[in-house]
Amino acid sequence: MITPDTPIEQMPKVARAIVPALKRLGIHTIYNLLTYVPSRYEDFSNKKKIIDIVSEEIITIQGVIRSISRIRTKTSSAMLIYASIADDTGIVKAIWFNQPYLLRTLSVGDTINLSGKAELRGNGMTLINPSYEKISPQALAQGSMPIHTGRLVPVYPETRGITSRWLRYLISFCIALREQMEDPLPSDIRKEFNILELKDAVLFLHAPRSQDDMRRAMARFEFEQLLIIQIYSLHKRAMVKQHHASCIVADVNLIKQFVASLPFPLTDAQRRSIWEIIKDMEKPVPMNRLLEGDVGSGKTVVAAAALLLTARAGKRACVLAPTELLAKQHAHTLEKILKPFDIRVAIYTASEKRILPKSSVFVGTHALLQKNIRISNLALVIVDEQHRFGVDQRAALLRHHETQTEQAHFLSMTATPIPRTLALTIYGDLDISVLDEMPKNRKPVITRVVNLDARGEAYEFIRQEMKQGQQVFVVCPRIEVPDNTDMPKTGKKIQASLIAAEVKTVITEHEKLAHVVFPDFRVGMLHGKMKPKEKSLIMNDFRDNKIDILVATSVIEVGVDVPNAMVMMIEGAEHFGLAQLHQFRGRVGRADKQSYCFLFPSERGMAAHRLDALVQTKNGFDLAEIDLKLRGPGEFLGTKQWGISFIGMSALAKPHLVRDVRKAAQDILKKDPDLRAHRLIQEKISAMGQMVHDE
């Protein structure tokens, strides 16, 4: 007997060969199939008689096939299938490209639905590559709803071997099983927030009668996805509080000495964040905090205060960075800041391992996470740009260095400003400190969009800046072509469009600038395929003013500071998100001199509204809000990194929904902290945790 829990491989009509493809889509059971959310809908609900067809209109017609044949064009190897379809008002033509199987599927005399855009060709209307569906006499007699035409037709995320058409067929075969599906959302939650019951949501998801049906179904699954994320995060927060941690005394006199030793005044936001962190570290439970700040807001100094207190308490701390460049920079900066207090800083990367006697602060990359590395007496773990370490590795890092009795305090840092509602969801297990002020002497970077006809003028301006001794960053886009195996219909088109676009490469741009534009200046090159030692050498030369212009990929996005670099050039600027462009811009303007950022689009007018937003807006948090509206949460997260489906990503962009869901999650956990009365939610949370750690 087939039930919603039946494994997909045991379902009739599912061949063994396609089971792996279904599982790649996350479809392991019939329940997964019925809750598989479409990525969009084709509106084929506009049904018309043939005589009423209007050119360029998307319509559905029903008629009988009068003729169907195959024609091979003279100018190419393309195969065309021609058909004429008639109803009681007229005849329309249909053309399909390279679909010879249609001759085996469709026959003269078949009643058929056609859905698509009509075009006026010659003396009559023609449908080009229309969706089709044979209508049986029984379906005609019963007035059954079609599957592929004549309605709002769902289009699903696909993979090689699995098409939306086949998924619609499979779902229609088992849609009646929705009546047996248990609803994970409690009835009181559904009532409070006007959420559809699961069985109704499943029906409206795959067979909506109207746009309203579709929106209500989507709202239901958005709510459910967010609720699972929220409960997962809040549950993790509660679990962390059950561990024991070293109590690091908040030595106020030591912090005062630390602040006095700095060559610059702290902002109020830095002072507030330091206080929040040291008060957390005083507690016998592990700190679990995110330090979120704009580029150049001074996160490293805040982290240094926590490191100082830890070291003075006789404990050890480690700082993890995503790249060797950033790890070495952190080590260099911390050595200078902590030197007056005789705190020794060790560095451990793939290319450099320098551990001093009595080192109490360890700075490194993934190399520090090796199983054979143990830092005894570890009381504090700081992770910079933690999202770059992979899916939810925060917990893994803590487990890696966990002792039998104590767990280290944890501080995560990010220079990507994240809208608060988004942060409260994805970092729901973390307390948040925000650096929303910039140092008082920092001049805003002047940002300009440079069109093709103004490039020469911009080059001349940059030349004059370099004659004054200033240095220049040049960033080139690196675009990854989508994997065609996961995009059977559109992958090749996307690949072709990317190849056709003018995408600057580091090598070609380096050659142009070094030999054509600025032959009288020293031009260097930096990219991800270089060996770590090569990167370090180049960055050291640039930092020591032995290179005037550094052409690089986005490897310089995070953390690389060169105080004398006053100009940032970004080629192909439209290929980057606002958050990333703002990160690049933050690489200059680190001194009290005026700095500049020039945005060079590949073509005139490309993504002009986004680039103009960067010109007008200097605050990273404001830009994050704009990016959230324009590009969605994936700009900050990406579904693969977080185990969040696209429907969850869509929901994250709705602040009111996030607030409602957070309240619902808190209510559920308040009444049922162990989720004993919410078995289905507990199962989904377990599944999410497994997915997150297995990615």
Side-chain angles (χ1 to χ4, degrees), residues 253-273:
N253 288 328
L254 180 60
I255 293 298
K256 286 181 178 178
Q257 294 174 33
F258 170 76
V259 173
S261 72
L262 298 172
F264 48 80
L266 295 180
T267 64
D268 290 340
Q270 286 175 308
R271 292 176 182 273
R272 181 179 65 248
S273 296

Side-chain angles (χ1 to χ4, degrees), residues 417-421 620-630 636 655:
I418 301 171
R420 183 162 180 78
T421 54
F621 289 92
D622 293 339
L623 283 170
E625 292 285 357
I626 295 171
D627 239 356
L628 184 61
K629 293 175 183 175
L630 292 176
F636 310 100

Side-chain angles (χ1 to χ4, degrees), residues 24 178 281 284 293 318 356 378 384 414 487 509:
R24 281 202 304 273
R178 72 186 187 280
M281 293 170 63
C318 72
L356 306 172
L378 183 72
D384 195 12
T414 180
M487 305 179 70
E509 189 66 13

Side-chain angles (χ1 to χ4, degrees), residues 213-249:
D213 279 356
M214 180 265 292
R215 284 191 287 268
R216 291 183 69 196
M218 285 291 189
R220 150 74 203 217
F221 286 100
E222 286 177 344
F223 190 99
E224 183 179 318
Q225 174 85 79
L226 279 194
L227 185 69
I228 300 304
I229 297 168
Q230 284 278 17
I231 294 179
Y232 176 74
S233 295
L234 294 173
H235 194 61
K236 281 172 57 183
R237 177 192 286 262
M239 294 299 292
V240 167
K241 299 302 181 185
Q242 295 178 11
H243 290 83
H244 182 74
S246 295
C247 299
I248 308 296
V249 177

Side-chain angles (χ1 to χ4, degrees), residues 345-556:
V345 179
I347 185 165
Y348 199 98
T349 68
S351 67
E352 184 177 355
K353 298 171 179 61
R354 176 169 53 85
I355 300 178
L356 306 172
K358 297 183 179 179
S359 295
S360 53
V361 175
F362 294 76
V363 182
T365 57
H366 292 77
L368 268 177
L369 304 178
Q370 297 174 24
K371 291 183 178 180
N372 62 330
I373 302 217
R374 281 290 183 270
I375 302 173
S376 61
N377 215 16
L378 183 72
L380 174 64
V381 174
I382 298 177
V383 181
D384 195 12
E385 299 296 336
Q386 64 82 28
H387 63 279
R388 295 183 172 232
F389 282 84
V391 180
D392 205 34
Q393 208 170 6
R394 295 170 286 167
L397 292 170
L398 295 176
R399 286 197 305 271
H400 186 64
H401 292 286
E402 191 176 352
T403 68
Q404 292 184 349
T405 58
E406 293 183 345
Q407 181 172 295
H409 295 288
F410 176 78
L411 178 66
S412 175
M413 301 193 300
T414 180
T416 302
I418 301 171
R420 183 162 180 78
T421 54
L422 189 60
L424 285 172
T425 301
I426 62 174
Y427 295 113
D429 57 322
L430 299 175
D431 297 304
I432 300 176
S433 294
V434 180
L435 297 177
D436 51 7
E437 294 177 78
M438 300 298 286
K440 297 292 190 292
N441 63 344
R442 186 71 53 82
K443 292 183 178 180
V445 179
I446 295 175
T447 307
R448 296 285 185 268
V449 178
V450 182
N451 292 318
L452 297 176
D453 53 359
R455 184 177 282 267
E457 185 180 345
Y459 283 155
E460 183 56 33
F461 179 88
I462 293 166
R463 180 184 303 277
Q464 296 305 317
E465 286 294 303
M466 288 191 292
K467 286 182 177 181
Q468 300 297 318
Q470 314 304 338
Q471 292 169 276
V472 180
F473 275 117
V474 179
V475 177
C476 301
R478 181 178 61 192
I479 295 182
E480 296 179 359
V481 177
D483 183 1
N484 288 346
T485 62
D486 291 334
M487 305 179 70
K489 288 187 175 182
T490 60
K492 291 182 179 179
K493 291 182 180 179
I494 293 175
Q495 182 176 3
S497 67
L498 291 181
I499 293 173
E502 183 188 356
V503 178
K504 303 284 183 181
T505 67
V506 173
I507 295 174
T508 56
E509 189 66 13
H510 173 266
E511 290 295 310
K512 184 185 80 172
L513 295 178
H515 300 295
V516 180
V517 183
F518 300 115
D520 46 340
F521 291 93
R522 300 162 297 179
V523 184
M525 180 171 58
L526 184 71
H527 54 76
K529 291 186 178 181
M530 289 179 168
K531 295 179 179 178
K533 288 185 178 179
E534 290 180 283
K535 293 180 186 177
S536 294
L537 182 62
I538 293 292
M539 281 308 306
N540 288 335
D541 284 348
F542 191 50
R543 199 176 283 114
D544 296 339
N545 215 350
K546 296 178 181 178
I547 294 174
D548 301 304
I549 305 172
L550 182 63
V551 185
T553 60
S554 58
V555 70
I556 61 94

Side-chain angles (χ1 to χ4, degrees), residues 27 103 112 145 280 316 413 470 583 596 599 629 680:
I27 301 173
L103 290 175
I112 187 174
M145 179 181 286
D280 273 1
R316 286 175 159 174
M413 301 193 300
Q470 314 304 338
Q583 291 275 319
Y596 304 88
L599 309 173
K629 293 175 183 175
L680 293 177

